[in-house]
Amino acid sequence: MRAPDSRWARYSRAAVEGGRKEGAGEEPEPRTGNLRQRHNGVIPPAILNRLREARARVAVAVAAWAKEAGHAAAEGPPRRPDLRMVPAVAATWGGAIAAIGLPWSFSAAGAAGSALVVAATAVRMVKRRRAGAAALALMAAAACLGTLLAGVALRQYDRQHSPLAVAVARGMELTVEMEISSAPRPLESAYGPRKFIFDAVIHQATGGGSLLTGNLPVRVIAGQEWSRLPQGATVHTAGTVAPGALQDSMAGILRPATPPLDVRPGGAGPHFGASLAASAQRAWGRLSQDAAGLLPGMVMGDRSGQEPALGESMKTVGLTHLTAVSGSNCTLVLTMLMLALRTVHLPAFPSSAAAVFGLAGFVAVVGPDPSVLRAAVMGAVGCLAMVGGRPRRAGTLLSVSILVLLVADPWLSLDYAFILSVLATLGLHLVGRRCATWLGAWLPAVVAQAVAIPLAAQLFCAPVIVLLQPRLLLYTVPANMAAAPVVALVTMAGTVAMVLAPVVPALADACSVVAGAGSWWVAAVARWMAALPAASLPWPGGAAGLVLMAVLNVAVLGTLVALVERQRLAAALKSMQRAVPPRWRILIGFGPLTAAAALAAALWTAAVGGG
């Protein structure tokens, strides 16, 4: 027996369909009698008609919002990707890559030129009294590019001309006060004592008898005594800063000549992180060190308690993204906060504002990783779009988040974590739903969706991953499928444990027991699949490996299309045959295309084997 529709579904359907249909070919009667009878002819008919039209427009708008938010059951055909912001993203990203490697004067000139383009386009639009799509796209691209170049010019000028930067360029011995901006992590090295690497910002220094001020970002390489410094702490030390290149996000590399002096903890993040780690040890330390060490990593990105062998296993099967706070973590946190606030019947705007504020607190605690920032910005923009009644378009939100983050930190344009985060989201947006549809021809809908999500992300990220790790990881998709069901459990229960650990340790331990079960499962999947045959195969590195991996991924997508959408593919081939001269049509057929595919596969195999 079919369950009755909810009141909201009935209202939405009535708003779209215009009321209950009386027959197969009959139009529904306009519902105007009540309004006229209520006012008994006092209101003129013209005003009544306008009121009815306004009410109908509001009802249709509300129904459309409900359908976009998922309240309506019916789904229309998939929308085409929104490409209006692509020129602005391309110009801003390309401008950032070029500008960070040039002196500040080039960026300043580019910012001035962009301002002139915006002004000239605006004047032309005013004269013509209309705004074309091309002109608006040009204005948006020039405005975003000019804003980014102006910011780069100011930062580059400060990095080259501030008293602190001048002292670093001269190679002076400095006594510095700096703030730790990232937790120390071990530096892989087979020789000498173990080293740790982390980022910091020098706020002031003393050199040559003078006090030098500024904000100079540096990368620190230090010994074992620096490994326990919490993120956000302020510390004093001495040493010489080796200047870095302009395109580097850090102004130089500092190798401290002393142990950390006058350490002053700062911020609540280290306190929450230490409390969560202690809670995980109390809950799982005796049962499974893998679960106890992995839980803080999956919640806060703290991998200090994780065993190196487990880290290698997760790298082999492509699960390392779970131990670096990613966009999925922020999305789950935002969703959890929104559901909790809406459950207590808080209005939409206050609940969205409170959820965004809570997400900002989560980001501040776990640290501003590029993928975290992207997800946080995208989540905030999504809430604003929902409250403002705008359709939630993933392409537009992704474009806006990219622009905001690049303008805030242009050096993200060459950051692998940021690039992979964008590619994963882009893959889900462009081919995620299509992959689920294609796979649904052979698999149940739930299984097809579970396979499609990691497959779409992997297809877009794999060409860049081989630049970092030239290996072919065969079990990445099944490993992510096996781990996916517990990621939400670990994130939500672990986040609650992180909040409660400093104030109510007993409840935090209970949440850690639940979250630790999920982290134990992820560790078990990583270790088991990493031990399987051919878990990691050699692959060419550099540009050749990137191109070969891209060809392989295109072949996978093409195979799915050829197997599932055979009729559409056949129609496309016939259309191509009609477009070429008759004597060349023989080349566009099953036989020649199969031979070309076989030749391409042979060349590809030879290239991989030779790599």
PDB file of all heavy atoms in Angstrom, residues 7 12 45 59 95 125 131 195 219 305 323 396 408 410 417 433 476 525 529 532 574 611:
ATOM      1  N   ARG A   7       2.047  16.764   3.686  1.00  0.00           N
ATOM      2  CA  ARG A   7       1.360  18.019   3.366  1.00  0.00           C
ATOM      3  C   ARG A   7       2.232  18.906   2.492  1.00  0.00           C
ATOM      4  O   ARG A   7       1.754  19.589   1.595  1.00  0.00           O
ATOM      5  CB  ARG A   7       0.966  18.725   4.660  1.00  0.00           C
ATOM      6  CG  ARG A   7      -0.191  18.058   5.382  1.00  0.00           C
ATOM      7  CD  ARG A   7      -0.564  18.830   6.629  1.00  0.00           C
ATOM      8  NE  ARG A   7       0.517  18.850   7.589  1.00  0.00           N
ATOM      9  CZ  ARG A   7       0.491  19.546   8.731  1.00  0.00           C
ATOM     10  NH1 ARG A   7      -0.551  20.305   9.022  1.00  0.00           N
ATOM     11  NH2 ARG A   7       1.505  19.502   9.566  1.00  0.00           N
ATOM     12  N   SER A  12       3.348  21.468  -2.668  1.00  0.00           N
ATOM     13  CA  SER A  12       4.271  21.731  -3.773  1.00  0.00           C
ATOM     14  C   SER A  12       3.678  21.276  -5.093  1.00  0.00           C
ATOM     15  O   SER A  12       3.747  21.979  -6.108  1.00  0.00           O
ATOM     16  CB  SER A  12       5.602  21.014  -3.508  1.00  0.00           C
ATOM     17  OG  SER A  12       6.146  21.434  -2.290  1.00  0.00           O
ATOM     18  N   PRO A  45     -12.014  44.153  -9.621  1.00  0.00           N
ATOM     19  CA  PRO A  45     -11.531  42.910 -10.249  1.00  0.00           C
ATOM     20  C   PRO A  45     -10.074  42.985 -10.702  1.00  0.00           C
ATOM     21  O   PRO A  45      -9.365  41.989 -10.648  1.00  0.00           O
ATOM     22  CB  PRO A  45     -12.495  42.739 -11.441  1.00  0.00           C
ATOM     23  CG  PRO A  45     -13.711  43.488 -11.051  1.00  0.00           C
ATOM     24  CD  PRO A  45     -13.255  44.648 -10.235  1.00  0.00           C
ATOM     25  N   ALA A  59       3.675  30.836  -4.926  1.00  0.00           N
ATOM     26  CA  ALA A  59       3.507  29.388  -4.744  1.00  0.00           C
ATOM     27  C   ALA A  59       4.455  28.609  -5.646  1.00  0.00           C
ATOM     28  O   ALA A  59       5.069  27.628  -5.225  1.00  0.00           O
ATOM     29  CB  ALA A  59       2.062  28.992  -5.021  1.00  0.00           C
ATOM     30  N   GLY A  95      46.304  33.768 -13.517  1.00  0.00           N
ATOM     31  CA  GLY A  95      46.985  34.966 -13.034  1.00  0.00           C
ATOM     32  C   GLY A  95      47.732  34.731 -11.738  1.00  0.00           C
ATOM     33  O   GLY A  95      48.827  35.268 -11.530  1.00  0.00           O
ATOM     34  N   MET A 125      28.833  49.227 -21.661  1.00  0.00           N
ATOM     35  CA  MET A 125      27.516  48.687 -21.335  1.00  0.00           C
ATOM     36  C   MET A 125      26.518  49.798 -21.056  1.00  0.00           C
ATOM     37  O   MET A 125      25.340  49.716 -21.436  1.00  0.00           O
ATOM     38  CB  MET A 125      27.625  47.744 -20.132  1.00  0.00           C
ATOM     39  CG  MET A 125      28.344  46.436 -20.441  1.00  0.00           C
ATOM     40  SD  MET A 125      28.729  45.480 -18.956  1.00  0.00           S
ATOM     41  CE  MET A 125      27.119  45.342 -18.205  1.00  0.00           C
ATOM     42  N   ALA A 131      23.344  44.712 -21.010  1.00  0.00           N
ATOM     43  CA  ALA A 131      24.476  43.941 -20.501  1.00  0.00           C
ATOM     44  C   ALA A 131      24.465  42.565 -21.141  1.00  0.00           C
ATOM     45  O   ALA A 131      23.600  41.727 -20.838  1.00  0.00           O
ATOM     46  CB  ALA A 131      24.401  43.815 -18.979  1.00  0.00           C
ATOM     47  N   LYS A 195      64.138  14.247  11.779  1.00  0.00           N
ATOM     48  CA  LYS A 195      63.805  15.665  11.708  1.00  0.00           C
ATOM     49  C   LYS A 195      62.294  15.844  11.596  1.00  0.00           C
ATOM     50  O   LYS A 195      61.572  14.950  11.145  1.00  0.00           O
ATOM     51  CB  LYS A 195      64.491  16.319  10.503  1.00  0.00           C
ATOM     52  CG  LYS A 195      66.013  16.286  10.537  1.00  0.00           C
ATOM     53  CD  LYS A 195      66.565  17.195  11.620  1.00  0.00           C
ATOM     54  CE  LYS A 195      68.077  17.264  11.581  1.00  0.00           C
ATOM     55  NZ  LYS A 195      68.623  18.130  12.639  1.00  0.00           N
ATOM     56  N   ARG A 219      59.216  28.119   6.784  1.00  0.00           N
ATOM     57  CA  ARG A 219      59.128  26.678   7.023  1.00  0.00           C
ATOM     58  C   ARG A 219      60.300  26.284   7.914  1.00  0.00           C
ATOM     59  O   ARG A 219      61.447  26.637   7.620  1.00  0.00           O
ATOM     60  CB  ARG A 219      59.150  25.924   5.708  1.00  0.00           C
ATOM     61  CG  ARG A 219      58.985  24.427   5.839  1.00  0.00           C
ATOM     62  CD  ARG A 219      58.321  23.861   4.615  1.00  0.00           C
ATOM     63  NE  ARG A 219      56.934  24.275   4.507  1.00  0.00           N
ATOM     64  CZ  ARG A 219      56.282  24.417   3.352  1.00  0.00           C
ATOM     65  NH1 ARG A 219      56.893  24.172   2.221  1.00  0.00           N
ATOM     66  NH2 ARG A 219      55.016  24.797   3.347  1.00  0.00           N
ATOM     67  N   GLY A 305      49.819  10.170  16.488  1.00  0.00           N
ATOM     68  CA  GLY A 305      49.725   8.893  17.175  1.00  0.00           C
ATOM     69  C   GLY A 305      49.551   7.700  16.259  1.00  0.00           C
ATOM     70  O   GLY A 305      49.393   6.570  16.734  1.00  0.00           O
ATOM     71  N   THR A 323      42.718  10.868   6.717  1.00  0.00           N
ATOM     72  CA  THR A 323      43.443  11.358   7.883  1.00  0.00           C
ATOM     73  C   THR A 323      43.878  12.804   7.735  1.00  0.00           C
ATOM     74  O   THR A 323      44.587  13.317   8.596  1.00  0.00           O
ATOM     75  CB  THR A 323      44.683  10.477   8.149  1.00  0.00           C
ATOM     76  OG1 THR A 323      45.519  10.463   6.984  1.00  0.00           O
ATOM     77  CG2 THR A 323      44.274   9.062   8.481  1.00  0.00           C
ATOM     78  N   THR A 396      28.467  26.561  -9.598  1.00  0.00           N
ATOM     79  CA  THR A 396      28.631  27.959  -9.195  1.00  0.00           C
ATOM     80  C   THR A 396      29.265  28.063  -7.820  1.00  0.00           C
ATOM     81  O   THR A 396      30.158  28.895  -7.592  1.00  0.00           O
ATOM     82  CB  THR A 396      27.266  28.659  -9.200  1.00  0.00           C
ATOM     83  OG1 THR A 396      26.691  28.564 -10.512  1.00  0.00           O
ATOM     84  CG2 THR A 396      27.409  30.127  -8.830  1.00  0.00           C
ATOM     85  N   ALA A 408      42.231  35.083  -1.370  1.00  0.00           N
ATOM     86  CA  ALA A 408      42.746  35.122  -0.003  1.00  0.00           C
ATOM     87  C   ALA A 408      44.172  34.606   0.081  1.00  0.00           C
ATOM     88  O   ALA A 408      44.975  35.122   0.861  1.00  0.00           O
ATOM     89  CB  ALA A 408      41.828  34.311   0.917  1.00  0.00           C
ATOM     90  N   PRO A 410      46.843  33.426  -2.875  1.00  0.00           N
ATOM     91  CA  PRO A 410      47.175  33.075  -4.264  1.00  0.00           C
ATOM     92  C   PRO A 410      48.124  31.891  -4.377  1.00  0.00           C
ATOM     93  O   PRO A 410      48.149  31.228  -5.422  1.00  0.00           O
ATOM     94  CB  PRO A 410      47.812  34.359  -4.807  1.00  0.00           C
ATOM     95  CG  PRO A 410      47.319  35.448  -3.918  1.00  0.00           C
ATOM     96  CD  PRO A 410      47.169  34.830  -2.575  1.00  0.00           C
ATOM     97  N   ALA A 417      47.270  19.825  -2.359  1.00  0.00           N
ATOM     98  CA  ALA A 417      46.067  19.499  -1.580  1.00  0.00           C
ATOM     99  C   ALA A 417      44.862  20.279  -2.094  1.00  0.00           C
ATOM    100  O   ALA A 417      43.759  19.734  -2.228  1.00  0.00           O
ATOM    101  CB  ALA A 417      46.306  19.801  -0.100  1.00  0.00           C
ATOM    102  N   ARG A 433      26.993  11.669 -11.060  1.00  0.00           N
ATOM    103  CA  ARG A 433      25.630  11.180 -11.301  1.00  0.00           C
ATOM    104  C   ARG A 433      25.573  10.303 -12.549  1.00  0.00           C
ATOM    105  O   ARG A 433      24.864   9.289 -12.595  1.00  0.00           O
ATOM    106  CB  ARG A 433      24.685  12.367 -11.441  1.00  0.00           C
ATOM    107  CG  ARG A 433      23.228  11.985 -11.549  1.00  0.00           C
ATOM    108  CD  ARG A 433      22.341  13.220 -11.553  1.00  0.00           C
ATOM    109  NE  ARG A 433      20.932  12.877 -11.672  1.00  0.00           N
ATOM    110  CZ  ARG A 433      19.955  13.771 -11.715  1.00  0.00           C
ATOM    111  NH1 ARG A 433      20.251  15.056 -11.625  1.00  0.00           N
ATOM    112  NH2 ARG A 433      18.699  13.391 -11.823  1.00  0.00           N
ATOM    113  N   THR A 476      42.090   1.322  -4.864  1.00  0.00           N
ATOM    114  CA  THR A 476      41.630   2.589  -4.296  1.00  0.00           C
ATOM    115  C   THR A 476      40.106   2.668  -4.240  1.00  0.00           C
ATOM    116  O   THR A 476      39.527   3.035  -3.211  1.00  0.00           O
ATOM    117  CB  THR A 476      42.188   3.761  -5.122  1.00  0.00           C
ATOM    118  OG1 THR A 476      43.620   3.759  -5.022  1.00  0.00           O
ATOM    119  CG2 THR A 476      41.668   5.085  -4.603  1.00  0.00           C
ATOM    120  N   VAL A 525      40.616  -2.375   6.936  1.00  0.00           N
ATOM    121  CA  VAL A 525      40.502  -2.380   5.479  1.00  0.00           C
ATOM    122  C   VAL A 525      41.837  -1.997   4.846  1.00  0.00           C
ATOM    123  O   VAL A 525      42.284  -2.618   3.862  1.00  0.00           O
ATOM    124  CB  VAL A 525      39.380  -1.417   5.037  1.00  0.00           C
ATOM    125  CG1 VAL A 525      39.432  -1.183   3.529  1.00  0.00           C
ATOM    126  CG2 VAL A 525      38.021  -1.960   5.438  1.00  0.00           C
ATOM    127  N   MET A 529      43.797  -4.760   2.502  1.00  0.00           N
ATOM    128  CA  MET A 529      43.903  -4.534   1.062  1.00  0.00           C
ATOM    129  C   MET A 529      45.331  -4.192   0.642  1.00  0.00           C
ATOM    130  O   MET A 529      45.731  -4.497  -0.484  1.00  0.00           O
ATOM    131  CB  MET A 529      42.938  -3.425   0.630  1.00  0.00           C
ATOM    132  CG  MET A 529      41.491  -3.848   0.639  1.00  0.00           C
ATOM    133  SD  MET A 529      40.423  -2.702  -0.250  1.00  0.00           S
ATOM    134  CE  MET A 529      38.880  -3.622  -0.248  1.00  0.00           C
ATOM    135  N   LEU A 532      47.186  -7.360  -0.263  1.00  0.00           N
ATOM    136  CA  LEU A 532      46.744  -8.146  -1.408  1.00  0.00           C
ATOM    137  C   LEU A 532      47.748  -8.057  -2.552  1.00  0.00           C
ATOM    138  O   LEU A 532      48.517  -7.087  -2.652  1.00  0.00           O
ATOM    139  CB  LEU A 532      45.376  -7.650  -1.880  1.00  0.00           C
ATOM    140  CG  LEU A 532      44.197  -7.864  -0.925  1.00  0.00           C
ATOM    141  CD1 LEU A 532      42.933  -7.245  -1.514  1.00  0.00           C
ATOM    142  CD2 LEU A 532      43.981  -9.342  -0.636  1.00  0.00           C
ATOM    143  N   LYS A 574      26.989   7.549 -36.817  1.00  0.00           N
ATOM    144  CA  LYS A 574      26.309   7.781 -38.090  1.00  0.00           C
ATOM    145  C   LYS A 574      26.303   9.259 -38.455  1.00  0.00           C
ATOM    146  O   LYS A 574      26.470   9.625 -39.625  1.00  0.00           O
ATOM    147  CB  LYS A 574      24.882   7.251 -38.014  1.00  0.00           C
ATOM    148  CG  LYS A 574      24.801   5.726 -37.961  1.00  0.00           C
ATOM    149  CD  LYS A 574      23.344   5.258 -37.924  1.00  0.00           C
ATOM    150  CE  LYS A 574      23.266   3.740 -37.889  1.00  0.00           C
ATOM    151  NZ  LYS A 574      21.857   3.248 -37.837  1.00  0.00           N
ATOM    152  N   GLY A 611      58.113   2.583 -18.660  1.00  0.00           N
ATOM    153  CA  GLY A 611      58.300   3.490 -17.535  1.00  0.00           C
ATOM    154  C   GLY A 611      58.743   2.771 -16.320  1.00  0.00           C
ATOM    155  O   GLY A 611      59.173   3.395 -15.380  1.00  0.00           O
TER     156      GLY A 611
END
